[in-house]
Amino acid sequence: MNPGVELTATAPYTVRLTPAVHAYVQPDGGWCLNNAGFVSDGESTLLVDTAATERRARLLRETLLATGAPPPRTLVNTHHHGDHTYGNGVFTPGATVVGHECCRTEVVAAGHQLHLIWPRTEFGAITITPPDTTFSERLTLRAAGTEVRLIHPGAAHTVGDTIVHLPEHGVVFTGDLVFQGGTPFIPTGSLSGSLRALGLLRSLGAETVVPGHGPVTDPSAYDATERYLLYVAELAEAARGKGLTPLEAARGADLGEFAALRESERLVANLHRAYAELDGLPEGSPLDIAAVFTDMTALNGGVPVACHA
């Protein structure tokens, strides 16, 4: 790590999963503290995701190079959210950015969205850099002598998610289909689609799971995520039947086993998505994100959710 870089949370760290595969973890995994990872044989490198700020993306690059890996030729984005894509410009034009076709569309449409949500955060010089190579369902790459399978699960965390599966290594990068230790977040995707995506992840048989946020884990994370999503579905159905708004439902909810998860205010955002699906809207239909964040602020005691980057 670069001792000259001061960050607001615990310093990021790498986990050597296999001789060729590293996970890059940014504690505590809260808002805008995502994970990344890379595959390298010392001659070529593939990078999975970047970071929310220029300095964090540059630190990721320095950390990658410090392992002996060369700069990445390929950069895969698991979805369009800025914490995973804002740093793309730090790695281009040397790297080709790859992502689902909807990821490209959403990166362009979102623009500097994180600046609007968190105007006081020092994001640095961010050039919006969408994927220039896209796919619709599946794409297989070869990088660093390794087969890298890119799989689109359908609308789930977002409409343009990509699962990055390394079958030879038993490793999967889930993107934000999994938040280890944090509350899932589905307002820009689908509740039912997220449940289906967990079934797809299970079918891959990977023993090592790199979530979009939080520490490296194992397939038990799928069960924990599924329990939460089913809880949201049941809560939404019952509350909507009583004529409650998502915020009223969230305020009256007993989180039970999920009370210890970070970002509990996301419950109301997830209820907005669950209500939309109960109303018959197609999976991934756009929600009023301003209203979603307003309700999260209300549920958070009137305090806007904080960017941790």
Side-chain angles (χ1 to χ4, degrees):
M1 300 301 172
N2 183 347
V5 177
E6 294 183 3
L7 301 175
T8 57
T10 303
Y13 61 91
T14 57
V15 181
R16 189 170 182 258
L17 306 176
T18 75
V21 183
H22 288 76
Y24 183 82
V25 180
Q26 296 193 94
D28 61 356
W31 289 104
C32 286
L33 289 181
N34 66 298
N35 296 336
F38 53 95
V39 185
S40 183
D41 58 3
E43 296 183 2
S44 65
T45 303
L46 177 145
L47 176 64
V48 180
D49 283 336
T50 56
T53 69
E54 180 189 10
R55 64 174 177 167
R56 284 184 174 274
R58 293 196 180 282
L59 181 57
L60 167 60
R61 189 177 190 276
E62 292 170 10
T63 303
L64 181 155
L65 296 176
T67 68
R73 297 177 186 171
T74 305
L75 164 56
V76 177
N77 286 147
T78 59
H79 60 289
H80 76 274
H81 288 160
D83 51 338
H84 296 256
T85 61
Y86 255 27
N88 285 2
V90 168
F91 297 91
T92 58
T96 297
V97 184
V98 181
H100 186 263
E101 56 193 20
C102 289
C103 175
R104 174 180 172 81
T105 301
E106 294 296 321
V107 167
V108 173
H112 290 90
Q113 189 177 64
L114 295 190
H115 287 71
L116 300 177
I117 299 173
W118 290 290
R120 296 183 180 180
T121 297
E122 294 182 7
F123 289 104
I126 299 298
T127 301
I128 300 302
T129 309
D132 38 35
T133 297
T134 63
F135 70 101
S136 59
E137 295 184 7
R138 295 189 179 224
L139 177 66
T140 299
L141 305 174
R142 296 292 306 185
T146 294
E147 181 181 6
V148 181
R149 297 179 182 174
L150 308 184
I151 306 168
H152 174 54
H157 174 63
T158 71
V159 295
D161 295 314
T162 292
I163 295 167
V164 182
H165 181 212
L166 310 176
E168 298 166 32
H169 299 278
V171 174
V172 64
F173 291 85
T174 69
D176 287 359
L177 299 176
V178 174
F179 288 79
Q180 180 66 3
T183 302
F185 190 63
I186 57 171
T188 56
S190 169
L191 173 55
S192 53
S194 293
L195 288 166
R196 287 196 305 273
L198 292 171
L200 174 56
L201 285 166
R202 288 188 181 99
S203 75
L204 300 178
E207 297 178 356
T208 301
V209 175
V210 184
H213 295 253
V216 175
T217 184
D218 57 49
S220 66
Y222 306 152
D223 298 334
T225 301
E226 183 176 64
R227 288 196 303 273
Y228 176 84
L229 294 175
L230 291 174
Y231 162 79
V232 171
E234 293 170 3
L235 176 62
E237 186 170 9
R240 181 173 170 273
K242 296 175 182 177
L244 301 178
T245 67
L247 181 57
E248 289 168 339
R251 280 177 165 160
D254 178 2
L255 286 172
E257 67 170 298
F258 311 113
L261 296 178
R262 294 184 309 270
E263 297 86 45
S264 61
E265 70 276 1
R266 290 178 181 168
L267 173 61
V268 70
N270 296 330
L271 286 169
H272 272 274
R273 173 56 61 190
Y275 272 45
E277 293 186 10
L278 288 170
D279 288 340
L281 294 178
E283 295 177 0
S285 295
L287 300 181
D288 183 342
I289 293 301
V292 167
F293 271 83
T294 296
D295 277 0
M296 282 196 291
T297 297
L299 192 61
N300 200 38
V303 179
V305 296
C307 175
H308 295 184

